[in-house]
Amino acid sequence: MSVRRLAEDNVQPASFAFTKENANWAKATIKKYPKGREQSAVIPLLMRAQEQDGWVTKASIEAIADMLGMAYIRVLEVATFYTQFQLGPVGTRAHVQVCGTTPCMLRGAEDLINVCKKRIHAEPHHLNESGTLSWEEVECLGACVNAPMIMIFKDSYEDLTATQLEHIIDRFDAGKGSTITPGPQVDRIFSAPVGGLTSLNEPEPAAKKVATRAKKTEGESVSVPPSNAAKPKTDAVETDPKLKTPATAKAEAAANTKATGDTRAEGGDNEAKQPVAAAVKPSLEDKNRPAGIARPATVDDLKLISGVGPKIEGTLHELGIFTFAQVSSWKLEERAWVDSYLNFKGRIERDDWVRQAEALAKGGEAEYIRVFGKKPR
């Protein structure tokens, strides 16, 4: 294990104090532990100090030691033992932790490390020129099936290529890291197979017919449903298994749901009967509408853009949009106009149509795979 030491004195702040909110949280956290065991709160308090200042300073170690009645050396031992604690300044917008263990290394972690060296700093644990970014190589981050991967603060980004990592770094450096969705960056759900299920995808066999049991006599007890299992037996009417419920008397329950009247007191709901106002489309004469062109002899297959289906493609054709180059040239106002016209509610930005179209216009499917690590659609 490598030796971990505190940062040099010239970068250490003179003092440390939790914010009012964090101080209240710290007091509540300490109270969770039994009397005489309050020192067990040292790790969560160190983590909160790191989240507040970005890294664990010498002053924060001493302040937490005083709060818990611990010797400074005891808290220092904890901070230097666990690699989750950053002992020096890190990027204010992103500290990129690249997993370098075997699965990630076999799947391209070295390429990710080279990107960090090129885009952030040649050495780990060093800030870039603006102080917004830093990086380090770490041990297993626990998503081996989605290798290679990185972690930025508490979020992981998986199934990465070098190009995708460059894009992520650019977004965080621009203060727009929240626009990147954490998790797999390819077409998979969590750790499911890429492209969909490969097993357990056959239809279930038809249930075998079970012979009808003989009807119970009046004297026999009614079977207890699972929801009442282990409940004490009572003579209360409400617990009688023969009592009709919406599940056992569906016809009566359906009749009871019919509303009669215009007010809730009379069984109706005027508010629920009001028609929902339709979304108003922006004007086709709006200055922010993207410029259309006459239909060319050969049009691009816009359905290759994730989020565009046959119906949306037809609408784009009506607007004079036929090529990837047109989509890739949309400015922010034009994207907002199309998004509103299609009633997408931000989907164009979430799916990054412009970047997809740019890759498809530049080199087709091959360029798309190079940029996004998967086939279009």
Side-chain angles (χ1 to χ4, degrees):
M1 184 174 178
S2 61
V3 177
R4 287 164 45 83
R5 294 187 175 91
L6 297 181
E8 300 295 333
D9 290 341
N10 60 339
V11 297
Q12 293 283 356
S15 60
F16 169 85
F18 279 121
T19 63
K20 183 177 179 180
E21 179 183 357
N22 285 339
N24 292 334
W25 176 91
K27 292 177 181 178
T29 300
I30 294 171
K31 288 181 180 179
K32 294 179 181 179
Y33 297 92
K35 188 175 182 180
R37 302 292 183 181
E38 294 86 354
Q39 295 179 359
S40 299
V42 63
I43 289 181
L45 263 60
L46 284 171
M47 280 302 298
R48 184 54 67 102
Q50 177 167 286
E51 291 170 2
Q52 177 178 302
D53 289 356
W55 58 293
V56 176
T57 64
K58 179 181 178 182
S60 67
I61 290 174
E62 294 175 350
I64 291 172
D66 291 337
M67 290 178 66
L68 299 176
M70 298 175 65
Y72 291 168
I73 187 61
R74 294 292 305 281
V75 182
L76 179 64
E77 288 171 346
V78 174
T80 55
F81 180 81
Y82 293 103
T83 55
Q84 70 195 52
F85 298 121
Q86 300 297 329
L87 303 182
V90 298
T92 56
R93 292 180 178 169
H95 178 65
V96 182
Q97 295 179 301
V98 184
C99 178
T101 40
T102 305
C104 284
M105 191 60 67
L106 293 174
R107 294 276 293 168
E110 285 184 322
D111 294 335
L112 304 187
I113 291 173
N114 289 334
V115 169
C116 292
K117 290 181 177 180
K118 181 177 68 173
R119 302 299 297 273
I120 302 176
H121 196 281
E123 297 294 332
H125 299 289
H126 286 71
L127 301 174
N128 64 345
E129 292 183 359
S130 58
T132 56
L133 301 172
S134 57
W135 74 278
E136 66 172 316
E137 180 183 349
V138 297
E139 296 301 312
C140 184
L141 291 174
C144 304
V145 73
N146 294 5
M149 66 169 296
I150 65 168
M151 180 171 282
I152 299 179
F153 301 126
K154 293 184 177 180
D155 292 319
S156 62
Y157 303 85
E158 304 145 17
D159 294 303
L160 292 174
T161 63
T163 303
Q164 288 172 318
L165 179 56
E166 288 185 359
H167 175 65
I168 291 173
I169 289 174
D170 288 342
R171 300 301 285 176
F172 272 93
D173 196 24
K176 299 180 180 179
S178 59
T179 62
I180 305 295
T181 302
Q185 302 300 301
V186 297
D187 185 20
R188 79 157 94 206
I189 300 175
F190 301 120
S191 296
V194 176
L197 294 177
T198 58
S199 62
L200 301 178
N201 51 8
E202 298 178 0
E204 294 184 7
K208 295 181 180 179
K209 292 185 177 180
V210 180
T212 306
R213 293 182 178 179
K215 205 170 183 180
K216 292 188 176 183
T217 62
E218 286 289 326
E220 289 182 315
S221 60
V222 179
S223 61
V224 179
S227 59
N228 290 337
K231 289 185 177 179
K233 294 181 179 181
T234 70
D235 295 328
V237 177
E238 292 81 2
T239 60
D240 186 352
K242 297 179 182 179
L243 182 68
K244 290 185 177 181
T245 68
T248 59
K250 296 181 179 179
E252 291 88 338
N256 289 337
T257 60
K258 292 182 179 179
T260 57
D262 294 325
T263 65
R264 292 185 178 182
E266 295 171 340
D269 189 348
N270 269 336
E271 183 178 342
K273 296 177 183 178
Q274 296 300 322
V276 179
V280 181
K281 286 189 175 182
S283 170
L284 293 174
E285 307 300 325
D286 194 298
K287 65 178 181 178
N288 292 324
R289 174 186 172 181
I293 61 174
R295 185 184 183 94
T298 303
V299 300
D300 291 333
D301 184 3
L302 299 181
K303 297 189 297 297
L304 291 178
I305 299 175
S306 178
V308 177
K311 184 176 180 181
I312 298 301
E313 184 183 48
T315 304
L316 293 175
H317 287 174
E318 293 174 2
L319 296 174
I321 309 300
F322 297 97
T323 67
F324 298 132
Q326 287 178 275
V327 178
S328 66
S329 66
W330 287 350
K331 301 293 186 293
L332 179 62
E333 295 79 8
E334 294 172 323
R335 298 198 297 272
W337 186 92
V338 177
D339 195 272
S340 178
Y341 188 82
L342 298 176
N343 194 25
F344 265 5
K345 301 179 181 178
R347 183 174 180 180
I348 290 178
E349 293 297 328
R350 290 195 302 274
D351 289 348
D352 211 345
W353 281 20
V354 169
R355 189 158 169 258
Q356 290 188 65
E358 190 177 60
L360 291 166
K362 182 178 179 181
E365 184 175 310
E367 178 66 13
Y368 191 101
I369 293 174
R370 189 188 74 81
V371 173
F372 294 98
K374 63 178 181 180
K375 291 184 178 181
R377 295 296 295 174

